[in-house]
């Protein structure tokens, strides 16, 4: 593993730093398990409510997601389409897929797209291009409502499965939250507004370089808080 020195949020130098996003996530879980990783903001009329999600909480969900994917037959190198609106579920399956060596493919959820036909066409195009093993949707009702020909040959999974339960003891010890920097971290598809969506292969090295560049350009530190209203399937919303 290629690693370099890094300063933690406490200012104490670490000997090595993870070289991939899931490895960096695992380091944060160890260093600050009970600190919020992010807060999900919901609006009830004019009032906003922030629901925090801790590093350890997302870690447990990610391990559960990895278990759900593995039970569905997803293996290293398989593509997993994520049509998830809920950010905690999205991040859990994004990390869970990476942890078993699978490749997440972010797409809009059925709730993100007003026209059902537009959602169907986008998913069909991407599925034909990347040949995924599984597709993860927001709820069981989404899985039941999806057209059979849309997911023919795929395993459709309910994303809410990570909301309850805990990973098994074997899964806690077996899960690897760090990968090789040269592995594909995820596939980012273009919008398809001028043609069929095209997939861009993003490696863990690419992703980490992008994150470091954003942190440097924004002079971001551990006490800073960002606000994002872009969808997670969007390249800027995700990164």
């Amino acid at each position: 593993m290629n690693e370099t020195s890094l300063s933690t949020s406490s200012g104490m130098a670490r000997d090595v730093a993870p070289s991939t996003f899931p490895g960096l996530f695992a380091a944060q879980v160890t260093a600050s398990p009970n600190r919020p990783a992010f807060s999900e903001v919901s609006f009830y009329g004019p009032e906003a409510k922030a629901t925090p999600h801790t590093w350890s909480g997302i870690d447990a969900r990610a391990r559960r997601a990895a278990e759900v994917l593995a039970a569905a037959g997803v293996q290293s190198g398989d593509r997993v389409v994520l049509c998830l609106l809920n950010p905690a579920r999205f991040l859990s399956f994004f990390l869970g897929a990476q942890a078993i060596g699978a490749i997440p493919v972010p797409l809009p959820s059925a709730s993100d797209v007003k026209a059902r036909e537009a959602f169907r066409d986008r998913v069909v195009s991407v599925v034909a291009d990347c040949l995924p093993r599984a597709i993860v949707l927001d709820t069981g009702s989404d899985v039941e409502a999806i057209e059979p020909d849309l997911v023919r040959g795929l395993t459709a999974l309910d994303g809410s499965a990570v909301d309850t339960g805990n990973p098994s003891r074997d899964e806690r010890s077996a899960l690897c939250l760090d990968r090789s920097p040269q592995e594909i971290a995820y596939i980012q598809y273009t919008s398809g507004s001028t043609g069929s969506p095209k997939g861009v292969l993003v490696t863990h090295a690419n992703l980490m370089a992008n994150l470091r560049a954003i942190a440097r350009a924004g002079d971001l530190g551990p006490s800073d808080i960002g606000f994002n209203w872009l969808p997670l399937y969007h390249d800027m919303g995700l990164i």
Side-chain angles (χ1 to χ4, degrees):
M1 183 189 306
N2 298 322
E3 297 177 335
T4 57
S5 62
L6 178 75
S7 294
T8 65
S9 58
S10 64
M12 298 177 63
R14 293 172 60 94
D15 292 333
V16 294
S19 54
T20 69
F21 173 67
L24 185 63
F25 172 83
Q28 284 296 107
V29 172
T30 300
S32 307
N34 297 319
R35 286 187 61 186
F38 67 93
S39 292
E40 181 181 354
V41 179
S42 302
F43 286 89
Y44 300 90
E47 300 296 325
K49 179 183 178 182
T51 303
H53 294 274
T54 64
W55 292 101
S56 59
I58 293 299
D59 178 65
R61 285 172 178 252
R63 292 171 184 273
R64 176 64 182 142
E67 210 168 11
V68 169
L69 292 171
V74 176
Q75 300 177 8
S76 180
D78 286 340
R79 277 73 61 203
V80 179
V81 173
L82 304 182
C83 296
L84 295 167
L85 180 64
N86 181 281
R89 294 173 187 168
F90 177 92
L91 183 57
S92 299
F93 275 98
F94 189 84
L95 284 162
Q98 291 181 337
I100 61 175
I103 303 169
V105 182
L107 284 184
S109 76
S111 302
D112 278 316
V113 182
K114 293 181 180 179
R116 188 73 180 188
E117 189 69 18
F119 171 75
R120 181 188 184 283
D121 290 347
R122 184 165 174 79
V123 173
V124 166
S125 176
V126 169
V127 165
D129 185 64
C130 72
L131 303 176
R133 175 63 65 90
I135 181 170
V136 188
L137 299 118
D138 277 303
T139 65
S141 59
D142 284 340
V143 173
E144 294 170 0
I146 201 166
E147 295 92 336
D149 63 330
L150 182 64
V151 293
R152 184 170 290 127
L154 295 179
T155 300
L157 300 173
D158 179 357
S160 66
V162 299
D163 295 345
T164 58
N166 294 305
S168 69
R169 181 175 301 176
D170 290 342
E171 191 62 32
R172 289 192 193 99
S173 61
L175 193 63
C176 173
L177 275 172
D178 205 1
R179 312 298 307 181
S180 164
Q182 284 70 47
E183 288 185 49
I184 298 172
Y186 65 99
I187 301 177
Q188 179 72 55
Y189 272 86
T190 60
S191 64
S193 56
T194 60
S196 297
K198 296 177 176 59
V200 178
L201 306 181
V202 180
T203 67
H204 285 286
N206 296 151
L207 176 55
M208 290 295 284
N210 198 345
L211 293 175
R212 291 190 185 102
I214 292 172
R216 283 196 300 267
D219 193 23
L220 301 177
S223 62
D224 292 317
I225 298 174
F227 182 76
N228 174 39
W229 63 94
L230 293 169
L232 293 174
Y233 63 84
H234 188 282
D235 54 354
M236 190 173 180
L238 176 61
I239 306 304

